[in-house]
Amino acid sequence: MSKQSKPDAGSAAAETTPDCPRCLKPLPLCICDSITAIDNRISLLILQHPQEQDRALGTARLTALHFRNAAVKIGLSWPSLSRALGRPVPDPSRWAVLYLGSAKVADLETDREVVAINRKGEIEDNQRAILKDIEGIVLLDGTWSQAKALWWRNAWMLKCQRVILGPSRPSRYGQLRREPRRDGLSTIEAAAMLLSTLEKRADIAETLDASFERMLARYRKAQHVLPELVPKPKPKRDYRRRKRG
């Protein structure tokens, strides 16, 4: 009976642990007390897929808390950028949407880490002028397939400038969450790269990266102290073995 009671006790502990009302993470994983909002010139809109359920390692709300001019919206589709943002947007072309898709900076002839591309996935001319005129950024929060669903369900994104990233280092997630591609980043890392580059403010990247490191440190500590709050992902089933049986 003792073996059966352990999972129940852990589950009960996870359910009774209060969440932070700001970041919505379990309090042992919260770092809100160390966050001071940044006055950002470029607006930030994070669209989160409704099935993105990773409270422990997710960074969408944590990212938004770092900026005075930022919002998180949960859903699958919106009729326009204005409706998604909740205010009029006179010129959507001055907003950028980060969507990698099949495009890779490594395949383009550039040494830039933030690159504007056209609908064919080709690098745009006049990179400096295009990026200088951007007044808002849309980030898609979710798994690779969830981000793809958000992209295809919101046709208005084609009116915006598409951008991709070519980070010099892989995500700080490391083994905690494996990205399908080396240039795949967490939402907070992507926001750090984009806003610091476009606003020419190294302090933005330094602040967000430091917060992400603190969040990951809390997570790793909780893995040992409160494992019920950070359950390990279920192993993939071996359907071939099942079929043979």
Side-chain angles (χ1 to χ4, degrees):
M1 292 181 64
S2 61
K3 291 183 179 180
Q4 294 180 352
S5 64
K6 288 182 180 179
D8 294 336
S11 177
E15 291 179 0
T16 57
T17 301
D19 293 339
C20 170
R22 296 183 69 206
C23 68
L24 302 185
K25 291 184 179 297
L27 283 179
L29 303 179
C30 172
I31 62 165
C32 289
D33 59 349
S34 64
I35 297 175
T36 299
I38 299 169
D39 286 315
N40 52 312
R41 173 178 56 83
I42 297 175
S43 303
L44 176 63
L45 173 62
I46 302 174
L47 301 181
Q48 186 179 66
H49 193 285
Q51 292 181 357
E52 172 57 51
Q53 299 292 333
D54 194 345
R55 292 190 308 146
L57 280 174
T59 62
R61 292 187 180 277
L62 179 63
T63 301
L65 289 174
H66 279 82
F67 300 101
R68 298 192 186 281
N69 185 8
V72 178
K73 300 296 177 68
I74 302 174
L76 282 174
S77 62
W78 295 263
S80 65
L81 174 59
S82 295
R83 290 288 294 275
L85 192 60
R87 62 176 173 82
V89 179
D91 187 1
S93 67
R94 296 189 65 184
W95 277 68
V97 178
L98 173 61
Y99 178 65
L100 299 183
S102 60
K104 296 181 180 180
V105 170
D107 296 334
L108 305 175
E109 295 182 1
T110 180
D111 58 356
R112 292 176 175 270
E113 290 190 336
V114 178
V115 180
I117 61 175
N118 59 26
R119 294 189 182 186
K120 295 181 180 180
E122 302 166 337
I123 189 170
E124 295 269 24
D125 294 328
N126 302 318
Q127 288 285 312
R128 188 185 301 274
I130 291 173
L131 298 179
K132 183 179 179 181
D133 285 342
I134 289 176
E135 62 182 29
I137 295 170
V138 179
L139 297 183
L140 309 181
D141 184 71
T143 64
W144 205 264
S145 60
Q146 289 169 353
K148 182 177 180 180
L150 288 169
W151 171 261
W152 287 106
R153 283 175 174 265
N154 293 276
W156 53 264
M157 291 185 186
L158 294 176
K159 298 179 180 179
C160 303
Q161 175 63 57
R162 183 179 167 189
V163 297
I164 58 176
L165 300 178
S168 58
R169 55 162 291 171
S171 173
R172 287 174 172 79
Y173 271 135
Q175 297 299 316
L176 293 178
R177 178 191 281 183
R178 294 185 180 181
E179 299 292 344
R181 281 170 37 177
R182 187 184 183 281
D183 53 353
L185 299 176
S186 66
T187 298
I188 194 169
E189 290 172 305
M193 276 192 66
L194 279 166
L195 286 164
S196 64
T197 299
L198 298 180
E199 294 202 14
K200 293 180 169 42
R201 291 180 57 185
D203 63 297
I204 292 180
E206 292 169 359
T207 299
L208 268 66
D209 289 343
S211 288
F212 190 36
E213 292 285 6
R214 285 196 297 274
M215 189 204 86
L216 294 177
R218 289 281 182 94
Y219 183 92
R220 293 187 179 97
K221 180 179 180 180
Q223 280 185 308
H224 302 288
V225 182
L226 299 167
E228 65 275 3
L229 295 180
V230 288
K232 295 180 180 179
K234 296 180 180 179
K236 294 182 179 179
R237 295 181 179 180
D238 189 340
Y239 290 100
R240 293 174 298 178
R241 181 177 298 177
R242 181 179 179 184
K243 185 176 180 181
R244 292 172 185 172

